[in-house]
Structures are given as C-alpha cells and as structure tokens.
Amino acid sequence: MTVLLIGWVVLASVEHWAEQEPWPRAVPAGLLWACVVAGVWWFAEWTQSPVRTARRSRGRTPAEGGRRRHGAVEDPDPHPRGSSAPSHR
C-alpha cells in the first residue's frame, strides 16, 4: 500500500511537471502508473516469498551454523538421558 501511495504522489508530480499536464489529468495518469509499479513490486515480493520461507524453515543460515551437507539429518540429542539402550563408551 505504501508503494502505491508514494508512487502515486511521485508519478503524478512527474506527469504534471515533466509532461506539462494539468493537475486534473496528471493525478489519474499518476495513479495508473503507480498501480503498474505497485503490481510489479507485489509480483516480485510474491515470487520471492517461497525462497524466504524455505530459508526460515531450515532454522539457520550457513553464516549462523556453518555448512551442512545437502540432505544431512542432524540428531537433535546424540546422547539421550534415561535411555534403555546400552552405552557404547
């Protein structure tokens, strides 16, 4: 919504001063172009959201926890307490 409103103001101003349009014609033209810009912005955000979601679901990034092998599964607790399995020490 912010992109649309800011774009509308900026693009209406451009239509008025650069294109020499009177304000009554510059405002709707600016709104049209602001809708185009906001639509492209939304589409870019929407197409990038799966990438961002996948990074968040992994829990950590390589910068936080080092490199991990592709498909590696980490044991959450390699030494469970109270286990009935014999110890291999």
Side-chain angles (χ1 to χ4, degrees):
M1 187 63 149
T2 304
V3 173
L4 179 64
L5 291 176
I6 292 171
W8 188 10
V9 170
V10 169
L11 292 168
S13 300
V14 167
E15 287 285 332
H16 176 69
W17 283 299
E19 301 293 328
Q20 301 298 318
E21 292 286 336
W23 279 112
R25 289 181 58 192
V27 172
L31 179 60
L32 173 68
W33 285 110
C35 288
V36 170
V37 169
V40 170
W41 185 283
W42 173 83
F43 182 75
E45 288 287 323
W46 181 70
T47 57
Q48 293 298 313
S49 66
V51 174
R52 200 173 321 125
T53 303
R55 286 183 189 148
R56 286 182 189 155
S57 69
R58 284 195 302 237
R60 62 182 184 175
T61 61
E64 292 172 344
R67 302 182 106 194
R68 290 173 33 184
R69 291 183 312 164
H70 179 70
V73 177
E74 295 181 19
D75 189 1
D77 189 4
H79 305 290
R81 294 184 181 100
S83 173
S84 60
S87 175
H88 296 286
R89 292 185 186 180

